[in-house]
Amino acid sequence: MTTFLRDTATVFTREFRPVLREPVALLFEMGQPLLFLFLFGSLLDGAVGSSWQWFVPGILVMMCLTGPMSAGYTLLVELIGGSMERMLVTPLNRTAMLVGRAMKAMVVLLAQAVLIIVLAVPLGFELHPAGVLAGLVQLTVFGVGLGAFSFVLAIRSAPSGTLFYVVSQSILFPLLLLSGVLLPLDSAPGWLRVLGTANPVTYIVEAQRALFSGDLTTPSVLYGTAAACLVAAIGLYLGNRAMRKGV
């Protein structure tokens, strides 16, 4: 366990160091979420009740969906360039390589999420500290699982990388649209609502909105937590297997 933790810290430090060298890049990555927050969120004002309590959690889930994909892209670049091969000849634990990379992606995501929340407060977002903390923990679990899935996709896509781009883009937007992140599904056609119930992201979005409104006891929180844990468990299993056998 000590060796695993040390290797995880080593990988995390290696991945996080470029972020510290170029922190401005994080602000550029925030461009789209901030645009949605200030423009799209204002358009929803009054259309869905307390629009900021409804919309801010959706923005965070959207960031959680898109952020871990960048982690997989980084791994893909290293696989194509050959730098990953040099890491594999070291005694680093391969599971630690997976977890360390996923942790880096989630630390960046959490920092961006805190910034979004701080900027949303003056717009009318009501801060419920316990709910926000629980929501960020749930997002962390969900994001780690998504990051692991992106690593699997990157490994299976090397060396061309075509599969990574095709699958990530073809899955990402349906998951977003069918989860009610941007618009409520209550008035959608029946077949869309059915697809939404089959989407695990839907339950996480509903749980986030409940938590960020200060409601920690609603059943949607339990369902969302179960969905996040399931995604994390499957992602880490497949990611660990791919890192051990597929690289």
Side-chain angles (χ1 to χ4, degrees):
M1 179 60 68
T2 302
T3 301
F4 172 76
L5 294 176
R6 184 190 65 225
D7 290 349
T8 301
T10 299
V11 175
F12 172 81
T13 303
R14 174 184 179 271
E15 296 296 317
F16 196 72
R17 190 176 291 117
V19 176
L20 297 178
R21 291 174 180 171
E22 298 182 2
V24 178
L26 294 180
L27 297 179
F28 285 104
E29 292 180 12
M30 293 290 294
Q32 187 181 60
L34 289 175
L35 184 66
F36 275 101
L37 178 68
F38 289 111
L39 298 184
F40 201 88
S42 299
L43 291 174
L44 289 176
D45 193 15
V48 288
S50 180
S51 62
W52 297 111
Q53 302 302 126
W54 188 90
F55 192 63
V56 170
I59 287 292
L60 298 184
V61 174
M62 183 179 71
M63 292 169 56
C64 192
L65 281 171
T66 57
M69 285 300 173
S70 64
Y73 174 77
T74 302
L75 177 60
L76 178 61
V77 170
E78 292 188 1
L79 288 169
I80 295 174
S83 61
M84 190 63 186
E85 294 181 0
R86 292 192 289 273
M87 287 190 65
L88 291 175
V89 299
T90 68
L92 283 173
N93 183 285
R94 293 196 176 187
T95 304
M97 293 182 187
L98 173 70
V99 176
R101 287 174 178 271
M103 286 178 58
K104 176 261 181 180
M106 291 315 303
V107 168
V108 172
L109 176 63
L110 288 175
Q112 293 174 335
V114 170
L115 177 59
I116 287 288
I117 293 170
V118 170
L119 293 176
V121 170
L123 300 176
F125 176 73
E126 296 181 11
L127 189 63
H128 300 275
V132 168
L133 180 60
L136 292 179
V137 170
Q138 186 184 88
L139 282 181
T140 299
V141 174
F142 180 51
V144 167
L146 288 178
F149 274 118
S150 74
F151 296 146
V152 175
L153 185 58
I155 292 170
R156 295 291 181 257
S157 301
S160 67
T162 302
L163 181 65
F164 181 86
Y165 303 117
V166 172
V167 174
S168 61
Q169 293 303 314
S170 62
I171 290 180
L172 178 62
F173 289 105
L175 287 177
L176 281 173
L177 296 175
L178 292 175
S179 63
V181 164
L182 299 178
L183 292 171
L185 293 178
D186 297 338
S187 58
W191 64 274
L192 276 179
R193 293 198 298 271
V194 171
L195 291 177
T197 59
N199 181 6
V201 184
T202 301
Y203 302 98
I204 295 171
V205 171
E206 293 176 351
Q208 288 292 303
R209 286 173 176 151
L211 290 171
F212 276 72
S213 295
D215 189 355
L216 281 68
T217 59
T218 181
S220 63
V221 173
L222 178 61
Y223 300 148
T225 302
C229 291
L230 180 62
V231 170
I234 297 175
L236 287 173
Y237 170 76
L238 295 178
N240 182 47
R241 183 177 180 181
M243 290 293 287
R244 288 179 175 274
K245 298 181 180 181
V247 178

